[in-house]
Amino acid sequence: MSDQKPKKEGQINIELDDKIAEGTYSNLAIINHSVSEFIVDFVSVMPGQPKAKVKSRIILTPQHAKRLVKALADNVNRFEKSHGEIKDYEQPPIPMNFGPTGEA
């Protein structure tokens, strides 16, 4: 007899391997878009370091980006109801330089 439960119609089995489950720390997200996609680069900026690397890039359709915004807003609201308001501290602007500058 099988231990697997029958899947419901339209249900997706999502797997999470150990490496992905560890996660990647990011304290900066850079968002760009075109007519067909949103690109979100997650960066870890360390104090006093003049250089930072993109740790992960996620490419989304505009529809999925909008669903993500709604899901994040819903989760932030639920978090704040349980734990209090999240303080948004003013941060100094971070000068950014992507790739070569084109200078000779």
Side-chain angles (χ1 to χ4, degrees), residues 74-85:
D74 180 54
N75 276 269
V76 167
N77 287 332
R78 287 189 284 152
F79 178 93
E80 289 183 328
K81 282 180 184 173
S82 296
H83 305 285
E85 182 182 354

Side-chain angles (χ1 to χ4, degrees), residues 6-14:
K7 286 201 305 186
K8 295 178 184 174
E9 183 84 20
Q11 187 177 16
I12 298 173
N13 183 15
I14 298 174

Side-chain angles (χ1 to χ4, degrees), residues 17-86:
D17 68 35
D18 291 342
K19 182 66 177 159
I20 298 297
E22 289 176 13
T24 301
Y25 178 77
S26 171
N27 55 5
L28 175 67
I30 301 166
I31 304 169
N32 291 293
H33 67 276
S34 69
V35 296
S36 61
E37 60 198 14
F38 279 72
I39 298 120
V40 185
D41 288 329
F42 293 96
V43 182
S44 179
V45 178
M46 293 297 133
Q49 297 295 315
K51 193 173 183 180
K53 282 190 174 183
V54 172
K55 297 293 187 175
S56 181
R57 172 174 278 186
I58 305 297
I59 302 169
L60 308 159
T61 64
Q63 294 80 12
H64 190 78
K66 191 167 188 175
R67 287 192 297 270
L68 177 61
V69 166
K70 287 180 182 178
L72 278 171
D74 180 54
N75 276 269
V76 167
N77 287 332
R78 287 189 284 152
F79 178 93
E80 289 183 328
K81 282 180 184 173
S82 296
H83 305 285
E85 182 182 354
I86 299 169

